Amino acid sequence: VTVSASAAAAMAHNPKVSFVEADREVHIEAQTTPTGISRMFASSNSRIDIDGVDDKRVDVDVAVIDTGIDRQQPELNVVDGINCAQGSPMSAKCSGDGDDDHYHGTHVAGTIGAVGNNNIGVVGVNQRVKLMALKFLSASGSGSLSDAITAIDYMTMMRAQYAINIRVSNNSWGGGGYSAALESAIGRAKAAGIIFVAAAGNSGEDTDANPSYPAGYELDNVVSVAAIDRDQNLASFSNYGATSVDIAAPGVDIISTMPNSQYGSLSGTSMATPHVSGALALLLGREPGLSYSQAIQRLYLSGTGRASLVDAGTGAPLVATQRALNVARMVRNQVAPLPTPPASQVPCGYEFQVAKDRKSTRLNSSHTDISRMPSSA
């Protein structure tokens, strides 16, 4: 619920209120201005090799939580969605149908599921997926945490109450800092069995030290995705983290659908994330009995190990699995154990003081563990 500052201050002292926090702005995680392309087929350099993957599977819905999707794009199978970008209350089911007045969400959607073998445009990772447009980002590419929560809760409701087969959500956005309310909403999606695939962020930072949200929430249904370029190197803009970022996928100069039947190229962890979302939907369509955690584990265990995803100087992983997405290996269940993470060399933050009578010893901590504390707003 969004309230005034004075009302929030009053609510904070109410014992019936769990917490009160500020509503903050979040934004898309695209790095570049779109390059228009009138007609172009996706090349193997900008997509994952999925040769030999058959089409025998059940239909799966992917919730694209973004700027919306152009429903007139002929390559996209878009199902009814909602527009929460205006702060519409959940009781009113927001408004509209989630149409895209930007371009970001349509580009993301094409990477997930643009139709193949139609002699036009591009090909998505999952060519039969249904795309639910849950719009909460405005035409400027920004939006509020409260509207993001409304979109997530709508998605969870559609699966839990109406049996819509949403197994994966794509979240190519970030910012706003830690939010207990947003973490709770993602937790409710987890309880419904929905995987929350999130962009690691485009600040080029170590998110172990400087968490980026929503990718940084420590929930096991969250998959944080870094971006790699055509040479399989971590993109210069991509965030990284030995524990906070999970896997990498192509995110540089990705060609995909744009509104008004156009096509264009974008870069960012926004573009890497839908590769993983499409792949997980493909797997869950072929093996619908997998739980969300089993599907995520398959994703990690089947990835292709890349030396470029380890810091050459320190040996520290740049992503936890040290691997990039490999769709073909994932759907064929070609897995291998993950590398053993390096031992953590955290300096001791405690000191002992011996009492003068030497009969007792007390422990005084000068160390604060901030690894699981929320960042300041």
Side-chain angles (χ1 to χ4, degrees), residues 148-325:
I149 291 166
T150 300
I152 293 167
D153 281 341
Y154 181 88
M155 167 190 72
T156 302
M157 178 186 70
M158 295 304 287
R159 174 163 173 79
Q161 297 183 24
Y162 295 96
I164 304 300
N165 195 29
I166 303 170
R167 302 295 308 273
V168 180
S169 67
N170 190 91
N171 301 273
S172 291
W173 49 275
Y178 173 84
S179 164
L182 179 57
E183 184 176 30
S184 295
I186 299 170
R188 291 189 288 274
K190 168 187 169 178
I194 300 172
I195 300 172
F196 192 92
V197 187
N202 296 341
S203 302
E205 294 183 339
D206 181 353
T207 52
D208 287 0
N210 300 295
S212 176
Y213 298 102
Y217 291 114
E218 295 185 7
L219 296 167
D220 68 355
N221 66 322
V222 175
V223 177
S224 175
V225 185
I228 52 175
D229 60 23
R230 296 185 181 209
D231 296 321
Q232 308 301 316
N233 295 317
L234 189 75
S236 60
F237 55 78
S238 180
N239 285 347
Y240 57 93
T243 61
S244 57
V245 179
D246 299 309
I247 197 163
V252 178
D253 298 329
I254 302 301
I255 302 164
S256 188
T257 49
M258 289 286 193
N260 302 314
S261 299
Q262 298 298 305
Y263 301 87
S265 174
L266 289 174
S267 296
T269 54
S270 275
M271 286 59 254
T273 303
H275 282 89
V276 174
S277 296
L280 285 166
L282 185 68
L283 173 64
L284 289 165
R286 290 167 55 89
E287 300 184 43
L290 292 177
S291 67
Y292 77 84
S293 58
Q294 290 171 328
I296 291 173
Q297 188 72 353
R298 178 85 70 83
L299 167 72
Y300 297 160
L301 293 177
S302 61
T304 301
R306 300 289 183 191
S308 59
L309 296 177
V310 177
D311 187 289
T314 65
L318 298 176
V319 301
T321 59
Q322 304 175 36
R323 294 180 180 183
L325 171 68

Side-chain angles (χ1 to χ4, degrees), residues 81-84 88-96 150 154 157-158 162:
I82 53 171
N83 177 3
C84 296
S88 302
M90 187 67 185
S91 58
K93 295 186 178 179
C94 302
S95 62
T150 300
Y154 181 88
M157 178 186 70
M158 295 304 287
Y162 295 96

Side-chain angles (χ1 to χ4, degrees), residues 72-94:
Q72 304 306 313
Q73 234 295 346
E75 295 212 72
L76 303 178
N77 182 9
V78 186
V79 300
D80 288 340
I82 53 171
N83 177 3
C84 296
Q86 305 304 316
S88 302
M90 187 67 185
S91 58
K93 295 186 178 179
C94 302

